[in-house]
Amino acid sequence: QKTTCMESAMALPLQVCAQLCRRPCYCPWVPPRCPRGSPLVLDGCGCCKICARRLGEPCDFLHVCDQSQGLVCDYSAAPAGTGATCNFEESEEGCEVNGRVYRDGEVFQPSCKLQCYCLDGGFTCIPLCQEDVRLPTPDCPYPRRIEVPGKCCPEWICEARDQHLLRDAGAALGAASPLLPYPCQEWATEWSACSATCGMGFSTRISNQNRYCRLETQRRLCMARPCPALPAASPA
């Protein structure tokens, strides 16, 4: 009993603890039936089993919160010890993104294109939009990836030939392509591994970073490492 009261000294005076925790304990024979998600725990006196209070539910010295969920009885808005509610315990662990703090283990979306996971003060994100590549085909010779109003992820469209010619004419004049119905957004895949394990080789990527903003396969020279020198031929 003494330890329990000491633990709650910040919430209630020791005299109140002594008044609430009477001995011997008088508990009902049948433990209460708890709602789903609320385990049976000992009350604040360590005497009888009660249903743990959940997030946002009222709590006090006797009616404790579910500590297995990281909840504590928050008296910050109740200096007199009344009106407290179960809340997450404040911790230094968390992630701050765009001015908002997320709890450790929380999954959040800073934008419609990303889903992130907070862990140990940092966060990792995965893209929610597909980064697929659409190459030119006979039925769609001029595919373009554009932002669609009202939609989060960009989509591929098949550009009409007359629009494509207008874009080519604007690029040939060296202008900023004012005739285009939409701006050209540069896009490219990562460079592939070098084709040769030693000596000179080449790597490839798919990109629209060219004067026509058209998807194409680009190549560049690469060398992972020099090849070892061949042993000298022995005399006959």
Side-chain angles (χ1 to χ4, degrees):
Q1 176 185 351
K2 182 178 180 182
T3 303
T4 305
C5 285
M6 289 296 292
E7 291 175 352
S8 301
M10 295 298 293
L12 295 175
L14 293 178
Q15 301 92 313
V16 179
C17 292
Q19 293 175 5
L20 292 175
C21 299
R22 300 179 181 276
R23 292 295 187 269
C25 294
Y26 293 98
C27 305
W29 287 100
V30 180
R33 297 184 62 181
C34 301
R36 180 175 297 180
S38 178
L40 275 174
V41 296
L42 289 176
D43 60 18
C45 295
C47 185
C48 302
K49 286 191 173 183
I50 61 172
C51 297
R53 297 297 172 93
R54 296 170 294 183
L55 179 65
E57 293 183 342
C59 59
D60 51 32
F61 170 72
L62 288 176
H63 302 89
V64 297
C65 302
D66 187 1
Q67 295 183 357
S68 66
Q69 298 295 323
L71 299 178
V72 295
C73 199
D74 185 7
Y75 290 88
S76 59
T82 58
T85 55
C86 292
N87 203 351
F88 287 103
E89 185 176 9
E90 292 185 2
S91 173
E92 295 182 358
E93 294 293 341
C95 311
E96 183 175 354
V97 182
N98 296 331
R100 181 175 175 181
V101 179
Y102 299 91
R103 299 189 309 272
D104 191 63
E106 186 175 357
V107 178
F108 61 96
Q109 288 186 219
S111 72
C112 61
K113 297 181 180 181
L114 291 175
Q115 178 172 293
C116 303
Y117 177 71
C118 178
L119 180 63
D120 297 334
F123 62 93
T124 56
C125 300
I126 58 173
L128 298 178
C129 298
Q130 294 183 355
E131 293 295 334
D132 56 338
V133 178
R134 182 167 184 175
L135 297 177
T137 56
D139 59 334
C140 185
Y142 308 114
R144 295 198 69 243
R145 191 181 180 96
I146 64 169
E147 297 286 344
V148 181
K151 293 188 178 181
C152 176
C153 299
E155 295 183 358
W156 288 97
I157 65 167
C158 293
E159 188 178 58
R161 183 174 180 84
D162 54 349
Q163 292 178 334
H164 181 74
L165 293 176
L166 287 175
R167 294 175 59 247
D168 287 353
L173 294 174
S177 300
L179 299 178
L180 292 181
Y182 32 73
C184 175
Q185 294 186 346
E186 292 187 351
W187 181 90
T189 62
E190 296 292 335
W191 287 102
S192 67
C194 197
S195 61
T197 56
C198 72
M200 195 66 68
F202 63 90
S203 60
T204 61
R205 72 172 182 177
I206 304 294
S207 173
N208 68 346
Q209 297 176 14
N210 52 63
R211 60 182 300 182
Y212 302 111
C213 193
R214 182 188 306 168
L215 279 177
E216 64 180 5
T217 301
Q218 298 176 345
R219 292 178 174 84
R220 69 177 182 182
L221 295 176
C222 59
M223 185 173 66
R225 59 185 178 85
C227 292
L230 297 174
S234 56

